[in-house]
Amino acid sequence: MDERLNIGVVIVAGGNGKRMGGTIPKQFRIVCGMPLLARTITTFAEALPAAERVVVLPEQYISFWHDLSARFNVPPHKVVAGGSERFHSVKAGIGALSESVKYIAVHDGVRSLCSKRLIIRVLQCAMENGAAVPCIEPADSLRMVAGDASHILDRSAIRIVQTPQIFSAAILRDAYNADYDPSFTDDASVAEHSGTVVTLCEGERSNIKITTPEDIIIARALLAGDEESEE
């Protein structure tokens, strides 16, 4: 196999889902017959079957996930405990990958509608540029709030950032050697802090981050539409 295709995938599902409510974190919710996290893992396994897969979870839910995933045909993956911030969770996931991986993809565990096409597109962009991030143009008008005042933003200059974010392993490992900074909102911001230029590529509007109960309704509708289109 071309060593450039030696991929590591870090799926970050370390949150407790407070905005979703309910008794279990959102990544474990069963939507259209499958836990959201299981659907995410399966999509990556289908897109990149030879890749190493590491899932980062809250430590207190690791046993719960082992029991839940045993009920579904979830592709093989390693599980590690996350940290207090997303930065620490991603760092733990990177540390669990083999040193031999050449590229690392980091993905939000609850972006369960990410397509295989998108994963391959971002990977190709990363292989060409070293660091690639999918994004979409906002459809709504945007305003910047400052105290009691606000002003309109030029939405043509704004992009909504998604995952998977994919990097040369050397770039991402070096970036995560930094100390945590509250300004780190995603992996691209960590990489940029270390001097890396991040390339934007086309994302997907259906690649939503499932965060609220309303997002579950949208996800069900999108999945039902996919099933109908395949018939």
Side-chain angles (χ1 to χ4, degrees), residues 210-222:
I210 300 171
T211 305
T212 67
E214 292 78 11
D215 295 331
I216 294 284
I217 297 171
I218 295 170
R220 287 191 177 118
L222 290 169

Side-chain angles (χ1 to χ4, degrees), residues 10-63:
V10 176
I11 297 174
V12 188
N16 289 304
K18 293 179 181 178
R19 282 177 288 180
M20 179 67 74
T23 58
I24 62 171
K26 57 195 173 184
Q27 57 267 39
F28 307 130
R29 293 286 187 96
I30 296 177
V31 177
C32 296
M34 183 182 296
L36 291 172
L37 180 55
R39 189 176 297 278
T40 303
I41 297 168
T42 299
T43 300
F44 272 86
E46 292 174 350
L48 303 170
E52 292 184 31
R53 292 176 289 274
V54 174
V55 175
V56 187
L57 293 175
E59 186 170 14
Q60 67 270 32
Y61 283 102
I62 290 177
S63 293

Side-chain angles (χ1 to χ4, degrees), residues 62-78:
I62 290 177
S63 293
F64 175 86
W65 172 245
H66 285 317
D67 292 340
L68 179 63
S69 61
R71 295 164 46 195
F72 299 87
N73 189 25
V74 184
H77 57 281
K78 183 184 295 186

Side-chain angles (χ1 to χ4, degrees), residues 14-170:
N16 289 304
K18 293 179 181 178
R19 282 177 288 180
M20 179 67 74
T23 58
I24 62 171
K26 57 195 173 184
Q27 57 267 39
F28 307 130
R29 293 286 187 96
I30 296 177
V31 177
C32 296
M34 183 182 296
L36 291 172
L37 180 55
R39 189 176 297 278
T40 303
I41 297 168
T42 299
T43 300
F44 272 86
E46 292 174 350
L48 303 170
E52 292 184 31
R53 292 176 289 274
V54 174
V55 175
V56 187
L57 293 175
E59 186 170 14
Q60 67 270 32
Y61 283 102
I62 290 177
S63 293
F64 175 86
W65 172 245
H66 285 317
D67 292 340
L68 179 63
S69 61
R71 295 164 46 195
F72 299 87
N73 189 25
V74 184
H77 57 281
K78 183 184 295 186
V79 178
V80 298
S84 58
E85 303 289 343
R86 186 183 188 279
F87 174 90
H88 303 107
S89 294
V90 174
K91 189 168 185 175
I94 293 171
L97 292 170
S98 300
E99 289 293 329
S100 61
V101 299
K102 301 301 180 183
Y103 290 88
I104 299 175
V106 184
H107 188 65
D108 297 323
V110 290
R111 286 192 187 272
S112 306
L113 303 178
C114 173
S115 75
K116 290 175 280 187
R117 292 186 306 275
L118 177 59
I119 294 168
I120 298 302
R121 182 163 65 242
V122 181
L123 175 58
Q124 290 172 336
C125 185
M127 291 174 66
E128 293 170 3
N129 300 284
V133 173
C135 62
I136 59 173
E137 297 183 16
D140 299 325
S141 294
L142 302 169
R143 298 191 71 86
M144 174 70 77
V145 177
D148 294 330
S150 69
H151 64 271
I152 194 75
L153 294 177
D154 178 6
R155 70 183 179 192
S156 69
I158 303 294
R159 295 294 181 270
I160 300 170
V161 175
Q162 301 181 332
T163 67
Q165 300 184 4
I166 305 182
F167 306 83
S168 154

Side-chain angles (χ1 to χ4, degrees), residues 178-189:
D179 293 329
Y180 170 69
D181 188 304
S183 67
F184 295 155
T185 57
D186 62 359
D187 310 290
S189 59

